[in-house]
């Protein structure tokens, strides 16, 4: 049974009064818009590379009238989709000339995933393949959880595995259910594991690489501490997931999301010996595996990881001379990949032109909701950018950490990184904005600059586990059909465990600094 059909029946559990994901994001959007009236506008002077200069902050007049701000709020979802950032003023608008600020690439990528996976499920091959896999590993589900969590965590640690994970939900949800678990376990493997992997970023070029370049240190500085954090945090995440999964398997009533009628049918089907796979089934499954392997290989910035070259955090391509085998693909190419492979699999599966087209469109429609959540979440960043209040908050954080002791400085950087990660994002763009200001302050506190980078990366990734404007989290929960309140009940205890680990490792770093 396909995941699309399985999702039509609601879980056999009382519906929650918790707000819908779209309501949550719209609420955050309005709150940020109102807060911008209370936060004065300001800006740092920039150096020749475009990075802010510590101590150069100045207040400026508000760049927008009240009427313009109202228009900016109403246009936030539009700008969140295809807003363009003006190269001179930095203002984001739909008719500007400059760099794409909106999330149109992610939007189309999610729609392409939906179309591709629906075509795959229409052939029936993947359903039968999942049945075989679940039956074969029916007593070894924990092994799959460990291996897949480690794989996604390592990919996130070394190259910020993020948007690409959304494509795995259509595979992981039915597999985990067939193994006797629930949708929360699929979310843990597909989304939580990569977020935890970023907490222990080792050579992640988009966070550690950019941060190291801005701080004037090598990407290898502090890698031992980050590796220790990765091992401890991933161990805690996997152990916690295994505990929850075993609890649900032993007693399905312990599930935080419940099971649909179709979910129960998958569990019962696992008990039956599956029919042999046909040659056509094997070809289709092989093509699906090839697609995701190519996706993983093509986006790896091999030059940045193996050759210590810089990486462009807008195009995700290695700057300089990439390796011969480096494809340098990103969301536009991956969108095209899913579109082309949907056609190929439709042909191999002998669906015919009409059924292939209908299945693809059904998938696009089904995935439009999660894609739209990404767009609205990006609109929050547009509002903060256009009111020019981000630098004001950054300056406040600069004043907060100045003059503290070594341990106090690291603690304050961690605390300061939380609102900064919310405002500018914990990824490459946010790192490029904050590190030129925060990293040099570590010199006065006797804290190595690499430890400042490690603190920033850990704090931002930890916060993303519950951040309601984390578009990837909200989209993933929507694809898995898991409520945000249900997810919070699962993740909050794990966040407490991770916080203790992070603080302990950072204090060890202070002692060794």
């Amino acid at each position: 049974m396909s995941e699309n059909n399985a999702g039509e029946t609601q879980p056999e559990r009382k519906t929650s009064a918790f707000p819908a994901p779209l309501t949550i994001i719209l609420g955050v959007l309005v709150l940020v818009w109102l807060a911008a009236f209370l936060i004065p506008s300001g800006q740092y002077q920039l150096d020749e590379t475009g990075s802010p200069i510590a101590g150069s902050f100045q207040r400026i007049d508000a760049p927008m009238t009240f009427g313009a701000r109202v228009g900016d709020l109403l246009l936030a979802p539009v700008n969140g989709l295809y807003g363009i950032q003006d190269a001179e003023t930095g203002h984001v608008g739909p008719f500007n000339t400059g760099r794409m600020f909106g999330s149109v690439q992610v939007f189309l990528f999610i729609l392409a995933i939906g179309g591709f996976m629906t075509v795959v499920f229409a052939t029936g091959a993947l359903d039968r393949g999942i049945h075989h896999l679940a039956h074969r590993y029916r007593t070894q589900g924990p092994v799959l959880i460990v291996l897949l969590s480690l794989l996604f965590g390592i990919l996130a640690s070394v190259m910020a595995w993020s948007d690409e994970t959304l494509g795995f939900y259509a595979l992981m949800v039915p597999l985990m259910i067939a193994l006797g678990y629930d949708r929360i376990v699929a979310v843990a493997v597909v989304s939580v594991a990569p977020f935890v992997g970023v907490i222990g970023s080792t050579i992640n070029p988009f966070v550690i690489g950019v941060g190291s370049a801005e701080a004037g240190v090598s990407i290898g500085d502090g890698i031992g501490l980050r590796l220790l954090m990765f091992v401890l945090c991933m161990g805690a995440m996997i152990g916690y997931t295994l505990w929850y999964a075993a609890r649900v398997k032993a007693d399905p009533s312990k599930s935080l999301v419940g099971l649909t009628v179709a979910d129960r049918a998958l569990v019962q089907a696992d008990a039956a010996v599956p029919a042999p796979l046909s040659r056509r089934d094997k070809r289709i499954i092989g093509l699906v595996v090839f697609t995701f392997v190519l996706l993983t290989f093509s986006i790896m910035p091999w030059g940045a990881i193996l050759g210590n070259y810089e990486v462009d955090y807008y195009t995700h391509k290695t700057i300089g001379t990439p390796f011969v085998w480096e494809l340098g693909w990103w969301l536009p190419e991956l969108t095209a990949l899913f579109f082309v492979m949907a056609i190929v699999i439709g042909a191999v599966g002998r669906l015919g032109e009409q059924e292939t087209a209908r299945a693809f469109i059904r998938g696009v429609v089904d995935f439009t909701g999660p894609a739209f959540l990404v767009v609205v979440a990006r609109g929050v960043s547009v509002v903060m950018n256009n009111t020019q209040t981000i630098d004001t908050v950054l300056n406040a954080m600069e004043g907060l950490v100045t003059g503290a002791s070594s341990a106090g400085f690291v603690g304050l950087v961690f605390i300061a990184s939380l609102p900064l990660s919310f405002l500018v994002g914990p990824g490459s763009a946010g790192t490029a904005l904050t590190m030129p200001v925060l990293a040099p302050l570590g010199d006065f506190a006797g804290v190595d600059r690499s430890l400042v980078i490690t603190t920033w990366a850990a704090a931002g990734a930890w916060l993303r586990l519950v951040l309601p404007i984390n578009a990837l989290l909200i989209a993933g929960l929507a694809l898995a059909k898991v409520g945000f309140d249900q997810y919070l009940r699962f993740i909050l205890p794990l966040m407490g465990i991770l916080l203790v680990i992070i603080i302990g490792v950072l204090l060890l770093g202070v002692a060794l600094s």
Side-chain angles (χ1 to χ4, degrees), residues 150-369:
L150 273 178
L151 174 62
F152 289 166
I154 291 172
L155 288 172
S157 177
V158 301
M159 47 77 67
W161 182 256
S162 54
D163 306 298
E164 309 83 0
T165 61
L166 297 177
F168 286 88
Y169 270 104
L171 294 168
M172 290 297 125
V173 170
L175 175 59
M176 291 302 162
I177 291 173
L179 289 171
Y181 306 129
D182 66 3
R183 294 165 183 267
I184 286 281
V185 178
V187 171
V189 172
V190 179
S191 287
V192 176
F195 290 146
V196 172
V198 175
I199 292 177
S201 291
T202 49
I203 54 174
N204 180 341
F206 307 110
V207 177
I208 304 302
V210 171
S212 298
E214 296 292 347
V217 298
S218 167
I219 194 173
D221 291 350
I223 192 172
L225 193 70
R226 294 194 295 270
L227 183 60
L228 174 63
M229 187 176 296
F230 172 81
V231 171
L232 295 178
C233 287
M234 282 303 301
M237 176 267 160
I238 292 173
Y240 181 77
T241 303
L242 290 173
W243 168 79
Y244 175 82
R247 192 166 176 254
V248 170
K249 191 174 180 70
D251 183 0
S253 67
K254 300 292 187 181
S255 169
L256 296 175
V257 295
L259 296 176
T260 67
V261 174
D263 291 344
R264 296 182 189 279
L266 276 175
V267 177
Q268 293 171 359
D270 174 48
V273 178
L277 294 175
S278 67
R279 290 185 179 180
R280 186 186 304 169
D281 290 340
K282 293 178 181 179
R283 292 192 189 103
I284 292 172
I285 294 172
L287 286 171
V288 173
V289 172
F290 167 78
T291 300
F292 283 99
V293 170
L294 179 59
L295 178 152
T296 305
F297 177 84
S298 66
I299 62 175
M300 293 284 279
W302 296 104
I305 294 174
L306 301 179
N308 202 26
Y309 296 117
E310 292 186 19
V311 63
D312 187 321
Y313 47 83
Y314 292 121
T315 64
H316 286 228
K317 298 181 186 296
T318 298
I319 299 175
T321 305
F323 291 107
V324 175
W325 65 81
E326 188 171 350
L327 295 178
W329 288 6
W330 191 228
L331 296 181
E333 294 87 353
L334 298 182
T335 300
L337 170 66
F338 281 115
F339 181 74
V340 171
M341 292 308 296
I343 297 174
V344 173
I345 287 177
V348 174
R350 298 181 182 177
L351 293 179
E353 175 266 330
Q354 291 287 333
E355 180 54 31
T356 300
R358 281 195 292 265
F360 190 88
I361 295 301
R362 284 200 306 271
V364 168
V365 172
D366 289 342
F367 279 54
T368 299

Side-chain angles (χ1 to χ4, degrees), residues 445-465:
V447 174
D448 191 88
R449 293 189 177 193
S450 66
L451 184 57
V452 178
I453 300 168
T454 300
T455 304
W456 161 263
W462 181 79
L463 181 65
R464 289 186 76 190
L465 286 167

